[in-house]
Amino acid sequence: MKILYYECFSGISGDMNLGAMVDLGVDQRYLVQELNKLQLSGYKVEFSREKKKGIEGTRAHVILENKHRHGHNDAHRNLEKINTIIETSNLSDAVKVLSKKIFRAVAEAEAKVHGTTIDKVHFHEVGAVDSIVDIVGAAICFDRLKVDKVVCTPIELGGGFVQCRHGTFPVPAPATVEILKNIPVKTGAVQFETTTPTGAAILATLVDEYLAQGSFTFEKTGYGVGYHDLDIPNVLRVSLCSDATALKDLQSRKALVIECNIDDMNPEHYDFVLKRLFDVGADDVFLTQTQMKKSRPGVLVSVVCPLEIEEKVIETLLVETTTLGVRKYTVDKLAIKRNYTKVSTEFGDITVKTGHLGGRCIKAKPEYEECKKSALLHHVPIQRVVEEVLRQFNHQRQ
């Protein structure tokens, strides 16, 4: 399982996240190329190598024309206008969906804080070009990394006071508090706002699990450098990891593989042989085309079975095929946990087999025979039945 692991010991902002993603391996040319699909003007994105407290990483600069990076921008866009910018771009559907989800998290928080509705919220700084770049850039990078899971440490918020458009507020800012409800946080590492509403919304949208400590195998690490000099390294550390515990969920047992090569049997008989092997308890039987002595085309018959039915399988192969002998060897058979769920559709109730790893459902497949029966009964293509079952299954999971 591929994991994206955030360590927010110095908080997170949108630009720190962009820097960390590039430092982790997302090609900056690709990121800029994708951001250009937004058709926004008046800015450019640059990256540089910098250090904080001896830790080197990548700093992302979103430079506005005739504006300071942390100055105010005159573009007061509401959620509808931002969604229009995203939807009319040529970005992928996955990036569009994720970008809008992050913006909605900010909009809902702002609406709650100011006692209004999300359609009336004007984002001020968050609706400005630089914050659009931070949020859409986060979605582009996440989509590019193709991870299975996002894990994060408790988020450091900092302390002291912060200047907002509406005045001076204690850290964390009201919108940040609202976004991070029910999420583990820490405060007081420094007297400074270490986590911004944009950074909080990125994590609140992406993260699957928050852990004070975890068991991972680190594969690659990136650092996103912040703009301020603090008593602690002002960097965001993000790593690509594999889950060292996920394989513990696999169901493991010993199994036998029993094989024989055949080059002189009527091909019509294989169907009967396979049925007999499954009848005696084989887990799997498969045929592989091969070339045997004297250049004869042949078939390798392979049977995977529990140890206790070894004699039955060997006897079946010797009696039902033309082989004069078999070979066998022991293997470790690993399998993910399986569950079976009934899903109600317009074509009837159909079973979906699911596979689980690391506590997550990673596979789902409708039972073929039930789909076949429903398709014949309702006179529809079987693919339509399968698609409807999966649609209803995914709807139930949301």
Side-chain angles (χ1 to χ4, degrees):
M1 180 184 294
K2 188 177 180 182
I3 294 173
L4 185 63
Y5 181 46
Y6 279 88
E7 294 178 89
C8 301
F9 51 79
S10 192
I12 180 175
S13 62
D15 47 67
M16 289 171 73
N17 183 69
L18 281 186
M21 293 295 102
V22 169
D23 207 52
L24 192 59
V26 176
D27 189 291
Q28 65 188 55
R29 292 168 298 181
Y30 170 81
L31 174 57
V32 171
Q33 176 183 317
E34 290 298 298
L35 285 170
N36 287 340
K37 294 179 179 179
L38 287 170
Q39 300 297 313
L40 286 177
S41 59
Y43 81 97
K44 62 179 178 178
V45 184
E46 294 181 352
F47 299 91
S48 62
R49 300 292 296 168
E50 299 191 21
K51 291 183 179 180
K52 292 293 183 182
K53 298 294 183 181
I55 297 178
E56 185 178 63
T58 298
R59 176 180 285 182
H61 306 260
V62 182
I63 303 171
L64 306 179
E65 292 180 355
N66 302 319
K67 302 289 182 181
H68 294 295
R69 175 63 180 82
H70 289 283
H72 295 306
N73 188 289
D74 293 331
H76 294 180
R77 299 180 175 90
N78 61 14
L79 187 62
E80 182 180 1
K81 289 183 179 179
I82 291 173
N83 285 343
T84 299
I85 291 172
I86 295 170
E87 277 298 331
T88 56
S89 74
N90 291 323
L91 291 164
S92 71
D93 289 342
V95 170
K96 289 179 181 179
V97 169
L98 185 54
S99 299
K100 292 190 294 182
K101 192 173 181 181
I102 298 172
F103 270 113
R104 187 175 183 86
V106 180
E108 290 177 345
E110 293 283 0
K112 178 69 178 298
V113 168
H114 298 297
T116 185
T117 58
I118 61 172
D119 57 306
K120 294 181 180 179
V121 169
H122 285 264
F123 284 86
H124 304 304
E125 294 94 335
V126 176
V129 170
D130 51 349
S131 292
I132 294 175
V133 170
D134 287 343
I135 289 175
V136 177
I140 292 168
C141 292
F142 177 76
D143 181 68
R144 185 68 166 178
L145 291 173
K146 305 298 182 187
V147 298
D148 302 304
K149 186 177 182 181
V150 182
V151 177
C152 183
T153 62
I155 306 164
E156 175 61 49
L157 305 183
F161 291 84
V162 60
Q163 283 292 129
C164 299
R165 181 175 290 269
H166 299 286
T168 301
F169 291 95
V171 172
T176 303
V177 173
E178 198 64 36
I179 292 168
L180 295 179
K181 276 187 175 179
N182 302 314
I183 291 175
V185 300
K186 298 187 293 183
T187 60
V190 290
Q191 293 301 294
F192 181 80
E193 182 191 35
T194 57
T195 296
T196 65
T198 298
I202 290 169
L203 292 180
T205 305
L206 293 183
V207 175
D208 299 299
E209 186 177 7
Y210 293 88
L211 296 174
Q213 58 184 15
S215 178
F216 307 113
T217 299
F218 286 85
E219 298 175 356
K220 191 173 184 181
T221 298
Y223 292 90
V225 178
Y227 278 81
H228 299 274
D229 293 315
L230 308 175
D231 293 334
I232 60 176
N234 186 20
V235 298
L236 169 67
R237 181 160 65 193
V238 184
S239 303
L240 286 174
C241 308
S242 57
D243 190 350
T245 62
L247 293 183
K248 293 181 179 179
D249 292 340
L250 291 177
Q251 300 169 345
S252 175
R253 66 177 174 87
K254 295 291 184 182
L256 274 176
V257 176
I258 303 175
E259 297 177 336
C260 63
N261 291 63
I262 300 173
D263 64 0
D264 57 352
M265 189 172 80
N266 186 337
E268 293 178 340
H269 296 176
Y270 283 110
D271 176 65
F272 183 79
V273 172
L274 266 62
K275 183 178 185 308
R276 289 298 305 271
L277 289 167
F278 281 120
D279 287 345
V280 300
D283 295 327
D284 196 9
V285 185
F286 53 96
L287 308 178
T288 306
Q289 294 295 321
T290 186
Q291 188 166 326
M292 298 173 60
K293 62 184 179 181
K294 298 183 181 180
S295 299
R296 296 172 184 164
V299 175
L300 169 64
V301 181
S302 301
V303 184
V304 183
C305 64
L307 302 179
E308 57 269 21
I309 67 166
E310 174 185 348
E311 292 185 4
K312 292 181 180 179
V313 169
I314 293 175
E315 181 181 359
T316 301
L317 288 171
L318 293 175
V319 171
E320 300 293 351
T321 75
T322 58
T323 190
L324 298 176
V326 301
R327 56 186 172 273
K328 64 176 183 177
Y329 51 93
T330 304
V331 296
D332 292 317
K333 185 175 180 181
L334 305 175
I336 58 178
K337 181 181 178 182
R338 304 173 194 182
N339 287 331
Y340 296 86
T341 304
K342 280 289 185 182
V343 175
S344 296
T345 76
E346 60 180 295
F347 305 113
D349 293 345
I350 295 176
T351 304
V352 175
K353 179 169 64 177
T354 58
H356 300 260
L357 182 65
R360 299 172 63 240
C361 176
I362 62 171
K363 298 179 187 294
K365 182 180 180 182
E367 289 291 344
Y368 168 75
E369 290 296 338
E370 295 182 27
C371 290
K372 174 183 173 182
K373 181 178 178 181
S374 293
L376 292 172
L377 180 64
H378 292 87
H379 306 289
V380 297
I382 189 170
Q383 185 61 31
R384 181 180 170 189
V385 177
V386 171
E387 290 173 352
E388 174 63 15
V389 174
L390 290 176
R391 189 181 73 82
Q392 293 294 341
F393 173 79
N394 290 327
H395 178 72
Q396 291 179 16
R397 294 178 63 197
Q398 292 176 354

